[in-house]
Amino acid sequence: MLFAAALLTWMIFWMRRQARGLKRELEEQVEHALARGSAFALALVAFVGVLREGVETALFLFGTIEGSNKLLASTSATIGLAGAVMLGYLFYRGAGRLNLRRFFTVTSVLLLLFAGWLLAQGLHELGEGGVLPESEALLACGFLALAAPTLFFYLRPAKPLSLP
């Protein structure tokens, strides 16, 4: 869980740094694939984009269901899948009116909070294993130690680029 929290946090900040260039790069790859008439190249671009999301989802599911009640985990996964299908449909229907910057900011904040929860769960597991002392205060501090600074750095206004 500690690795999942670190990877998730890093990935959110990496995506924020790459957002501007990533959009342009993806558009160029799609245009290049269409110009060559290569359905395989276009499928590969889509596959890589979906693969990244799939790895992220697998980390979430592993982090949340490890050691939990199987019925509760299955029910939660089913509800989550149904919610994802519904949101996908709504996104498809209203994507033109959606403020993508705000959408990705809100989802990134939720993911950073989830990463803080994963860190607290990892500390709890280490406490149960006798590696760290078991303490609710330690869990709360672990959550706040990740969530507070990452949210601060993520939500602060971007500094304009200065040329040397």
Side-chain angles (χ1 to χ4, degrees):
M1 283 190 220
L2 299 175
F3 178 71
L7 183 62
L8 180 59
T9 303
W10 173 80
M11 205 159 200
I12 290 167
F13 280 92
W14 180 83
M15 283 300 294
R16 184 176 185 198
R17 268 194 328 270
Q18 302 299 321
R20 288 188 181 123
L22 191 62
K23 178 184 176 189
R24 185 175 72 310
E25 182 181 331
L26 284 173
E27 287 173 348
E28 288 173 1
Q29 288 176 355
V30 168
E31 285 177 18
H32 182 67
L34 290 174
R36 288 186 11 194
S38 173
F40 177 75
L42 185 57
L44 185 63
V45 169
F47 175 77
V48 170
V50 172
L51 178 67
R52 187 190 73 83
E53 295 302 322
V55 168
E56 206 171 274
T57 301
L59 283 172
F60 289 161
L61 287 175
F62 178 76
T64 56
I65 67 171
E66 182 65 24
S68 70
N69 179 320
K70 300 300 180 200
L71 177 63
L72 179 63
S74 299
T75 304
S76 299
T78 302
I79 291 170
L81 182 60
V85 168
M86 183 183 71
L87 285 173
Y89 175 76
L90 292 173
F91 186 79
Y92 172 75
R93 297 290 296 167
R97 297 183 303 267
L98 183 65
N99 181 340
L100 290 177
R101 180 178 300 264
R102 179 168 288 143
F103 173 78
F104 285 116
T105 298
V106 169
T107 56
S108 293
V109 165
L110 292 174
L111 289 172
L112 286 170
L113 291 172
F114 182 72
W117 179 83
L118 283 175
L119 176 66
Q121 289 299 109
L123 293 175
H124 174 73
E125 295 294 326
L126 289 173
E128 283 185 349
V131 176
L132 293 174
E134 288 191 63
S135 164
E136 294 296 320
L138 178 64
L139 300 181
C141 288
F143 174 79
L144 290 174
L146 178 71
T150 55
L151 288 173
F152 170 77
F153 286 114
Y154 189 81
L155 294 173
R156 73 179 179 184
K159 295 180 182 177
L161 295 175
S162 59
L163 300 173

